[in-house]
């Protein structure tokens, strides 16, 4: 089947070259030459399409011999709403310099947990926990404002404030996540 269509294509191609030469020599003024050229062009296109169709291997219900296009990837432009957005400030002060008795304000936008913990650690070569506090029994709201009074300490210098949230995995197990953002305070 393929050989027959290929032979037709070769013969039509040779005839097409001859007729094209006839059209060129008559400078496009011969109507018979132009009509023959169009007919041979149509025969060549038909033979080529039949040759392509005959070369298809069709073991199953596949209709085309071409590989199907890969479906486009789904692109989602919806941005996930931020959750557990953390900010830390010192109540009644502009900067982050603190001393015992000051109150840290821990603000969590779009909280996802019912339990949070705040840990303050030294920024020495060997960090140690200066203070930590757990906030439990919270309710779901759009914003949590937690207050943490700073206890008396002998530590002076920079300290790191980290906040953790706790998810209940089961009735006896909970998972801890660290909220993004670490804040540095300075004990004076």
């Amino acid at each position: 089947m393929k050989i027959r269509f290929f032979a037709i294509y070769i013969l039509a191609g040779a005839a097409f070259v001859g007729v094209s030469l006839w059209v060129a020599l008559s400078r496009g003024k011969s109507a018979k030459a132009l009509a023959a050229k169009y007919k041979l062009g149509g025969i060549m296109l038909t033979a080529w399409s039949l040759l392509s169709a005959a070369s298809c291997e069709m073991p199953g219900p596949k209709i085309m011999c071409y590989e199907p296009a890969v479906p486009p990837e789904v692109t989602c432009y919806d941005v996930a709403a931020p959750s557990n957005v953390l900010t830390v400030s010192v109540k009644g002060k502009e900067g982050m310099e603190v001393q015992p008795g000051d109150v840290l304000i821990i603000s969590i936008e779009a909280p996802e947990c019912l339990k949070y913990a705040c840990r303050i650690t030294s920024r020495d070569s060997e960090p140690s926990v200066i203070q930590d506090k757990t906030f439990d029994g919270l309710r779901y709201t759009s914003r949590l404002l937690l207050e943490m009074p700073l206890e008396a300490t002998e530590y002076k210098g920079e300290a790191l404030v980290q906040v953790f949230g706790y998810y209940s995995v089961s009735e006896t197990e909970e998972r801890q996540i660290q909220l993004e953002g670490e804040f540095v305070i300075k004990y004076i």
Side-chain angles (χ1 to χ4, degrees):
M1 190 78 151
K2 290 181 193 178
I3 295 174
R4 188 171 78 186
F5 291 130
F6 187 69
I8 292 171
Y9 187 73
I10 294 296
L11 289 174
F16 185 79
V17 169
V19 170
S20 294
L21 184 62
W22 180 19
V23 169
L25 291 176
S26 69
R27 296 184 185 178
K29 294 182 181 178
S30 173
K32 287 183 181 182
L34 286 174
K37 184 176 178 180
Y38 284 126
K39 285 179 186 176
L40 285 172
I43 290 171
M44 286 180 60
L45 289 173
T46 303
W48 184 258
S49 65
L50 292 174
L51 182 64
S52 296
S55 67
C56 289
E57 307 274 332
M58 292 192 280
K62 201 179 212 182
I63 297 171
M64 297 178 13
C65 60
Y66 302 105
E67 290 294 323
V70 177
E73 291 185 28
V74 176
T75 306
C76 182
Y77 294 103
D78 293 336
V79 178
S83 61
N84 288 325
V85 179
L86 174 67
T87 55
V88 175
S89 61
V90 182
K91 188 175 189 177
K93 291 188 175 182
E94 290 285 323
M96 297 300 280
E97 292 184 347
V98 297
Q99 53 191 358
D102 285 343
V103 177
L104 283 184
I105 303 293
I106 301 161
S107 173
I108 303 171
E109 296 285 336
E112 290 187 337
C113 303
L114 295 176
K115 179 180 176 183
Y116 289 93
C118 180
R119 180 180 305 143
I120 302 173
T121 56
S122 64
R123 291 195 55 165
D124 298 336
S125 58
E126 295 181 24
S128 60
V129 176
I130 298 171
Q131 182 179 345
D132 59 356
K133 182 173 181 176
T134 302
F135 303 92
D136 203 354
L138 303 170
R139 293 182 295 132
Y140 287 115
T141 62
S142 61
R143 182 178 184 202
L144 280 177
L145 285 176
L146 308 172
E147 293 189 1
M148 181 177 174
L150 298 177
E151 299 171 353
T153 181
E154 296 293 321
Y155 181 78
K156 301 286 185 216
E158 290 185 343
L160 185 64
V161 178
Q162 297 171 307
V163 178
F164 302 91
Y166 294 90
Y167 289 98
S168 294
V169 177
S170 66
E171 294 208 13
T172 59
E173 184 184 352
E174 59 185 11
R175 186 177 61 164
Q176 172 185 333
I177 60 160
Q178 181 175 350
L179 274 60
E180 287 188 32
E182 296 178 341
F183 295 86
V184 177
I185 58 175
K186 185 174 182 182
Y187 279 92
I188 54 173

